[in-house]
Amino acid sequence: MEIERITPILTVEDLATATTEHTGLLGMRVVMDMGWIAFLADGAGHQIGLMTTDATASVNPDVSIFVDDVEAAHAAAVAADVEIVHPLSTEEWGVRRFFYRDSSGRVINVGSHT
């Protein structure tokens, strides 16, 4: 399994305001906006996520890690006996993902594009 991308995700109250703030201050551009989550990036591909409330999960993740094999990542999480807080699911926007809670209480979104 290889990591393809790691992106921090900030929970925000107002997505439009947060997007305007971060694009204006940091010179980033919006690369995805689904109304409840937006990803901003610079020209080198560095990203940050902004989220109000996750559309299908009961908790917002703190970071998003995309891998080439989400099934292997899920199997490793189950074998490690970590708390799975969002089950392995195929989302309608073309992502297969699950969330786990690490030993510090952070919620990690692990996914792959389908």
Side-chain angles (χ1 to χ4, degrees):
M1 174 183 55
E2 292 193 23
I3 294 174
E4 297 175 340
R5 180 181 77 221
I6 300 174
T7 305
I9 299 177
L10 304 177
T11 296
V12 300
E13 289 185 26
D14 183 316
L15 187 60
T17 299
T19 299
T20 298
E21 178 179 47
H22 291 290
T23 56
L25 289 172
L26 300 173
M28 301 177 94
R29 69 186 190 292
V30 177
V31 294
M32 183 187 87
D33 185 345
M34 296 177 63
W36 56 273
I37 187 169
F39 283 94
L40 314 179
D42 67 5
H46 303 108
Q47 292 191 1
I48 188 169
L50 307 170
M51 174 186 291
T52 54
T53 302
D54 194 287
T56 63
S58 62
V59 62
N60 285 0
D62 296 297
V63 65
S64 181
I65 302 175
F66 270 68
V67 296
D68 66 343
D69 187 346
V70 72
E71 304 290 337
H74 184 263
V78 169
D81 200 30
V82 296
E83 178 188 2
I84 306 295
V85 295
H86 181 69
L88 186 60
S89 307
T90 301
E91 307 292 0
E92 65 183 40
W93 56 88
V95 168
R96 186 151 172 80
R97 68 183 184 153
F98 73 96
F99 297 1
Y100 72 91
R101 189 178 314 275
D102 73 9
S103 60
S104 298
R106 300 285 185 204
V107 176
I108 314 301
N109 170 32
V110 181
S112 290
H113 291 282
T114 57

